[in-house]
Amino acid sequence: MSSMPSVADIEAIERATVAAVSPEASEELDGWLLPFDGGTVKRARSAVPLHRSAVDAGTLDRIEDRYDSRQVVPALRLADADCFDSLRAELERRHYVEDHPTCVQIGTARQMRQVAAAGTGAGAGAGALADVDRAPDDAWAALFLGEGFDPVDGAHRVRALARAKGSLYASVRENGRTVAAGAMAFRHGWASVHGMRTDKAHRGRGLAGRVLAGLAQGALTKGFERVFLQVDAQNHPALSLYRRAGFQTHWQYRYWQRQQWPR
C-alpha cells in the first residue's frame, strides 16, 4: 500500500467520491459529509469523515439523528485507519455490521491512457480507445441491466452516475450494442473512474482497458492528470487491470451499517 495522500487530497477525494454519485441530498456535520439517497449505491448514502481524526460518541449520535430524521438507515464509510479504532469499537457496541472492503487507488491519466496500447485483447478494434460521450445513451444504460448484473442495483447506478454534472461516459460498441462501459467524474481537482462494466460474454478481450484509455484521454483533454477510483478488495481481475494501468492502493475502507431488528 502506497504512502497516504495529503490531508487536503483526502478531503478532496472524499468530496469528489460523493459528488460523482450525486446523492438526492447531503449535509455537513462536525467534519463529516452526510449523503442521503434512497438507492442501492452505498457511497451515496453513507456518512464519511473528511479528516483522519478521532471521533467521539457524541458525533456518532448526531450522525444517527440526521439519518433517522430522514428515515434512512444510518451507515458510515470508514477508512481502515488507526484513528478510528475507538469509533469502530463503538459501532460494534451499537450493533453495526461491517462489509465490502474497498481499495481507494490513485494513478495518473497518462499512465491510464497507455493501458489500451498495452492490452492483449484480440480481434477488430483491439487496442482502440472506447467512444466517449457527454451523456449516457440507452445502450450504455442497458449494459448495467444485462446478464450477470443485478438489474435493480444497475438501474440505481445508472441514475446516480447520469445525475452527476460534467461527467463523461465511455462505451465500446459492437453490432449496435454496448459491450463495455464506464464513467468519469471531475470534481475538486480530481478525475475519478466509476461504473466499470463489461458484458459477461465479452470478458477477457481487453475491453475494460479500452474504456479506461478512452476515459483517460477525456481527462487529459479536460486538463486533469490525477485520477482515483474505488475497487472491491476481492475483485482480483479488476485489481490486476488497474495495476497495469498504473494505479496503486492508498487506503482501504469498509461500510458500517446499523442492523435493523424485526419489529
Side-chain angles (χ1 to χ4, degrees):
M1 190 175 294
S2 300
S3 59
M4 188 67 67
S6 70
V7 170
D9 282 340
I10 290 172
E11 178 175 351
I13 288 171
E14 298 296 17
R15 290 186 182 278
T17 295
V18 173
V21 292
S22 191
E24 294 166 352
S26 63
E27 300 177 6
E28 289 194 35
L29 175 70
D30 297 345
W32 286 66
L33 189 58
L34 278 57
F36 305 95
D37 196 88
T40 60
V41 181
K42 292 183 178 181
R43 279 174 282 179
R45 54 185 178 87
S46 302
V48 61
L50 297 174
H51 308 288
R52 299 288 189 265
S53 57
V55 180
D56 61 33
T59 297
L60 181 55
D61 289 339
R62 289 186 287 276
I63 291 171
E64 288 184 330
D65 286 345
R66 296 309 304 145
Y67 279 86
D68 287 337
S69 71
R70 291 177 176 266
Q71 298 183 317
V72 177
V73 177
L76 285 71
R77 180 164 58 85
L78 202 59
D80 292 351
D82 293 344
C83 62
F84 298 133
D85 284 348
S86 60
L87 176 57
R88 281 188 284 270
E90 179 64 18
L91 290 170
E92 291 176 349
R93 192 186 71 79
R94 298 189 188 197
H95 305 293
Y96 279 69
V97 174
E98 65 169 289
D99 69 357
H100 208 120
T102 302
C103 300
V104 177
Q105 298 195 319
I106 294 175
T108 68
R110 293 188 188 281
Q111 286 183 287
M112 182 176 157
R113 169 65 178 79
Q114 293 171 2
V115 74
T120 58
L129 275 64
D131 298 328
V132 177
D133 304 298
R134 294 185 178 182
D137 60 16
D138 290 343
W140 187 94
L143 179 58
F144 287 73
L145 312 178
E147 184 181 356
F149 301 117
D150 180 336
V152 173
D153 179 67
H156 284 295
R157 291 184 184 278
V158 167
R159 185 163 63 247
L161 293 172
R163 280 197 306 248
K165 295 179 180 179
S167 291
L168 297 177
Y169 304 87
S171 302
V172 176
R173 299 180 173 106
E174 294 184 354
N175 301 318
R177 295 178 58 238
T178 293
V179 294
M184 175 169 274
F186 303 90
R187 291 293 184 91
H188 302 282
W190 289 83
S192 54
V193 177
H194 306 273
M196 293 289 291
R197 294 288 187 278
T198 300
D199 185 284
K200 185 176 180 180
H202 293 271
R203 292 173 186 170
R205 297 176 49 206
L207 302 185
R210 293 174 57 188
V211 170
L212 285 181
L215 293 173
Q217 185 60 52
L220 292 170
T221 300
K222 282 179 168 282
F224 284 78
E225 174 64 20
R226 300 187 302 172
V227 185
F228 75 88
L229 57 81
Q230 288 105 346
V231 55
D232 188 316
Q234 303 305 315
N235 189 343
H236 298 294
L239 288 167
S240 179
L241 168 66
Y242 298 143
R243 184 170 55 252
R244 295 196 303 274
F247 285 87
Q248 294 183 317
T249 296
H250 284 256
W251 74 86
Q252 182 172 282
Y253 66 75
R254 300 166 197 264
Y255 292 97
W256 292 78
Q257 181 166 302
R258 192 174 67 190
Q259 286 187 302
Q260 300 302 289
W261 303 103
R263 296 182 179 179

